[in-house]
């Protein structure tokens, strides 16, 4: 596609599903002034990534490590994550509750999954 794709990719930077991928392509191709993703987009991409890993691998050791890392790096992760408007949010949070070895953090994940189901009508 080359440089001709840049204008189309810039048009989707605010799109939850496409914005992250558009940023990666623009950055890899040396485009100037690629804005950082919003916090909301980062959370959406995180849920999307975990959902894809769940679908591909199930409850793998790699996924367990990812879940532990997310909870460790971002202390308020579950407080924010349940609000993400992604079709797999509740399922991802439920899986995180199943996979995390720390009972307190696992409980936070399950509570967040419940909130996500309540908010999104699932």
């Amino acid at each position: 596609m080359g440089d001709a794709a840049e204008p189309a990719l810039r048009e989707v930077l605010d799109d939850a599903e496409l914005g992250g991928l558009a940023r990666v392509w623009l950055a890899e191709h040396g485009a100037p002034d690629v804005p950082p993703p919003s916090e909301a987009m980062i959370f959406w991409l995180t849920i999307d990534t975990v959902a894809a890993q769940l679908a591909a691998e199930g409850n793998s050791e790699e996924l367990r490590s990812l879940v532990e890392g997310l909870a460790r790096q971002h202390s308020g992760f579950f407080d924010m994550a349940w609000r993400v408007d992604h079709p797999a949010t509740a399922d991802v949070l439920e899986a995180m509750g199943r996979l995390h070895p720390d009972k307190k953090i696992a409980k936070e994940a399950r509570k967040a999954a419940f909130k996500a189901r309540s908010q999104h009508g699932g």
Side-chain angles (χ1 to χ4, degrees), residues 45-55 63 66-67 70 92 95-96:
L45 291 167
T46 301
I47 295 293
D48 196 55
T49 299
V50 175
Q53 276 202 287
L54 266 173
L63 186 57
L66 176 62
V67 165
L70 286 170
V92 163
M96 291 178 88

Side-chain angles (χ1 to χ4, degrees), residues 36-61:
S38 66
E39 186 175 63
M41 183 174 290
I42 291 169
F43 274 90
W44 193 96
L45 291 167
T46 301
I47 295 293
D48 196 55
T49 299
V50 175
Q53 276 202 287
L54 266 173
E57 304 172 13
N59 298 337
S60 69
E61 191 56 41

Side-chain angles (χ1 to χ4, degrees), residues 7-28:
L9 289 161
R10 287 192 180 276
E11 285 180 27
V12 299
L13 287 176
D14 292 330
D15 182 273
E17 293 181 43
L18 301 174
L21 296 172
R23 279 174 174 75
V24 169
W25 189 95
L26 289 167
E28 286 178 351

Side-chain angles (χ1 to χ4, degrees), residues 24-107:
V24 169
W25 189 95
L26 289 167
E28 286 178 351
H29 288 82
D33 305 323
V34 178
S38 66
E39 186 175 63
M41 183 174 290
I42 291 169
F43 274 90
W44 193 96
L45 291 167
T46 301
I47 295 293
D48 196 55
T49 299
V50 175
Q53 276 202 287
L54 266 173
E57 304 172 13
N59 298 337
S60 69
E61 191 56 41
E62 184 179 339
L63 186 57
R64 182 182 306 274
S65 295
L66 176 62
V67 165
E68 288 180 46
L70 286 170
R72 185 174 46 250
Q73 290 171 7
H74 195 298
S75 61
F77 179 82
F78 299 113
D79 290 333
M80 296 291 293
W82 71 267
R83 294 174 170 89
V84 174
D85 188 19
H86 186 289
T89 297
D91 292 338
V92 163
L93 293 171
E94 197 171 272
M96 291 178 88
R98 242 188 354 264
L99 291 167
H100 204 288
D102 183 303
K103 289 183 190 317
K104 183 179 179 227
I105 294 172
K107 184 177 180 180

